Amino acid sequence: MTEFEYDCMQKKLLGRSAWRRVGARRGVTLPSDALDPRQLEQRNGPCRVYRLGRPMTMSQFEAMPRDLQRAYFQRLRQRGGSEEAVGRMLGIGRRRLRQLQERCRVEFDRPDQAAWQAFLEEEEA
Protein backbone atom coordinates (compact mmCIF):
# COMPACT_ATOMS: atom_id res chain seq x y z
CA MET A 1 0.00 0.00 0.00
CA THR A 2 1.45 3.28 -1.07
CA GLU A 3 1.39 6.45 0.91
CA PHE A 4 -1.28 7.86 -1.39
CA GLU A 5 -3.57 4.82 -0.93
CA TYR A 6 -3.09 4.92 2.83
CA ASP A 7 -4.02 8.61 2.89
CA CYS A 8 -7.15 7.90 0.81
CA MET A 9 -8.15 5.07 3.15
CA GLN A 10 -7.86 7.34 6.19
CA LYS A 11 -9.93 10.06 4.55
CA LYS A 12 -12.62 7.54 3.62
CA LEU A 13 -12.78 6.29 7.22
CA LEU A 14 -13.00 9.83 8.51
CA GLY A 15 -15.71 10.68 5.99
CA ARG A 16 -17.78 7.63 6.92
CA SER A 17 -17.59 8.35 10.65
CA ALA A 18 -18.60 11.99 10.09
CA TRP A 19 -21.54 10.87 7.95
CA ARG A 20 -22.79 8.65 10.76
CA ARG A 21 -22.86 11.57 13.15
CA VAL A 22 -24.26 14.15 10.75
CA GLY A 23 -26.45 11.91 8.64
CA ALA A 24 -28.18 10.22 11.56
CA ARG A 25 -29.79 13.43 12.88
CA ARG A 26 -33.35 13.24 14.07
CA GLY A 27 -35.52 15.77 15.78
CA VAL A 28 -35.51 15.93 19.56
CA THR A 29 -38.63 14.38 21.04
CA LEU A 30 -39.97 14.31 24.56
CA PRO A 31 -42.21 11.69 26.17
CA SER A 32 -44.94 14.29 26.54
CA ASP A 33 -45.05 15.03 22.78
CA ALA A 34 -47.36 12.09 22.11
CA LEU A 35 -49.87 13.03 24.83
CA ASP A 36 -53.17 14.71 24.11
CA PRO A 37 -54.16 17.91 26.01
CA ARG A 38 -56.21 15.99 28.59
CA GLN A 39 -53.29 13.71 29.46
CA LEU A 40 -50.94 16.70 29.67
CA GLU A 41 -53.28 18.39 32.13
CA GLN A 42 -53.32 15.27 34.30
CA ARG A 43 -49.51 15.28 34.48
CA ASN A 44 -49.44 18.78 35.97
CA GLY A 45 -50.24 19.13 39.65
CA PRO A 46 -52.34 21.85 41.18
CA CYS A 47 -50.79 25.29 41.44
CA ARG A 48 -50.14 26.43 45.01
CA VAL A 49 -49.21 29.87 46.29
CA TYR A 50 -47.28 30.29 49.54
CA ARG A 51 -46.99 33.79 50.96
CA LEU A 52 -43.97 33.65 53.19
CA GLY A 53 -44.06 37.37 53.95
CA ARG A 54 -47.32 37.18 55.90
CA PRO A 55 -48.44 35.64 59.19
CA MET A 56 -50.10 32.23 58.87
CA THR A 57 -51.80 29.56 60.95
CA MET A 58 -50.35 26.21 61.88
CA SER A 59 -52.50 24.37 59.33
CA GLN A 60 -51.17 26.62 56.55
CA PHE A 61 -47.62 26.11 57.84
CA GLU A 62 -47.95 22.31 57.87
CA ALA A 63 -49.35 22.30 54.32
CA MET A 64 -46.08 23.76 53.00
CA PRO A 65 -43.12 21.62 51.88
CA ARG A 66 -40.28 21.31 54.40
CA ASP A 67 -37.89 23.56 52.51
CA LEU A 68 -40.46 26.35 52.54
CA GLN A 69 -41.18 25.76 56.22
CA ARG A 70 -37.51 26.34 56.95
CA ALA A 71 -37.47 29.45 54.74
CA TYR A 72 -40.56 30.77 56.57
CA PHE A 73 -38.94 30.25 59.97
CA GLN A 74 -35.82 32.04 58.76
CA ARG A 75 -37.98 34.93 57.61
CA LEU A 76 -39.77 35.06 60.96
CA ARG A 77 -36.37 35.24 62.64
CA GLN A 78 -35.34 38.12 60.36
CA ARG A 79 -38.59 39.92 61.16
CA GLY A 80 -37.77 39.88 64.87
CA GLY A 81 -39.96 37.03 66.07
CA SER A 82 -39.35 35.56 69.51
CA GLU A 83 -40.29 32.01 70.48
CA GLU A 84 -43.30 33.21 72.42
CA ALA A 85 -44.55 35.53 69.66
CA VAL A 86 -44.15 32.92 66.91
CA GLY A 87 -45.90 30.31 69.06
CA ARG A 88 -48.82 32.69 69.64
CA MET A 89 -49.06 33.49 65.94
CA LEU A 90 -49.08 29.80 64.94
CA GLY A 91 -51.33 28.85 67.86
CA ILE A 92 -49.01 26.17 69.27
CA GLY A 93 -47.25 25.56 72.54
CA ARG A 94 -43.60 26.01 73.36
CA ARG A 95 -42.83 22.27 73.15
CA ARG A 96 -44.26 21.89 69.63
CA LEU A 97 -42.45 25.05 68.51
CA ARG A 98 -39.16 23.67 69.81
CA GLN A 99 -39.69 20.48 67.77
CA LEU A 100 -40.31 22.55 64.65
CA GLN A 101 -37.25 24.67 65.36
CA GLU A 102 -35.05 21.59 65.67
CA ARG A 103 -36.42 20.17 62.42
CA CYS A 104 -35.90 23.46 60.57
CA ARG A 105 -32.65 24.30 62.42
CA VAL A 106 -33.69 27.88 63.12
CA GLU A 107 -33.48 29.65 66.48
CA PHE A 108 -35.37 32.81 67.35
CA ASP A 109 -32.45 34.45 69.10
CA ARG A 110 -32.87 38.01 67.78
CA PRO A 111 -36.27 39.25 69.01
CA ASP A 112 -37.22 42.75 67.87
CA GLN A 113 -40.64 43.84 69.12
CA ALA A 114 -41.01 46.80 66.74
CA ALA A 115 -40.11 44.77 63.62
CA TRP A 116 -42.38 41.93 64.73
CA GLN A 117 -45.31 44.30 65.26
CA ALA A 118 -44.74 45.76 61.78
CA PHE A 119 -44.75 42.23 60.35
CA LEU A 120 -48.07 41.42 62.05
CA GLU A 121 -49.62 44.69 60.88
CA GLU A 122 -48.77 43.90 57.23
CA GLU A 123 -51.50 41.26 57.33
CA GLU A 124 -54.12 43.80 58.31
CA ALA A 125 -53.16 46.26 55.57
Side-chain angles (χ1 to χ4, degrees):
M1 180 181 293
T2 65
E3 187 177 333
F4 177 74
E5 291 172 339
Y6 182 74
D7 189 42
C8 289
M9 182 187 73
Q10 284 184 331
K11 288 180 181 179
K12 284 181 184 180
L13 287 173
L14 182 64
R16 285 189 198 121
S17 66
W19 181 85
R20 271 186 251 138
R21 288 190 186 110
V22 175
R25 282 189 185 164
R26 285 185 278 162
V28 176
T29 60
L30 300 172
S32 61
D33 289 347
L35 300 178
D36 61 25
R38 182 172 170 252
Q39 290 172 326
L40 277 173
E41 191 174 318
Q42 287 175 346
R43 286 180 59 123
N44 297 330
C47 181
R48 294 185 179 100
V49 177
Y50 302 106
R51 299 187 178 187
L52 302 182
R54 296 185 177 178
M56 63 176 63
T57 63
M58 188 61 187
S59 60
Q60 293 169 331
F61 179 78
E62 288 177 336
M64 292 192 305
R66 286 218 174 165
D67 60 331
L68 291 180
Q69 288 178 357
R70 184 168 194 260
Y72 185 65
F73 265 23
Q74 288 173 342
R75 186 164 293 194
L76 292 180
R77 180 179 184 240
Q78 291 171 353
R79 298 289 176 102
S82 64
E83 284 185 10
E84 182 181 331
V86 172
R88 255 186 286 134
M89 181 195 69
L90 293 173
I92 58 174
R94 175 172 250 168
R95 185 176 188 180
R96 176 73 175 127
L97 182 63
R98 289 281 176 143
Q99 291 172 348
L100 292 173
Q101 280 180 287
E102 288 176 14
R103 186 174 73 195
C104 295
R105 296 188 182 115
V106 175
E107 289 190 30
F108 299 109
D109 56 353
R110 292 188 271 168
D112 182 2
Q113 188 63 29
W116 182 253
Q117 198 60 36
F119 171 71
L120 292 177
E121 288 173 2
E122 286 179 10
E123 174 68 21
E124 297 170 6

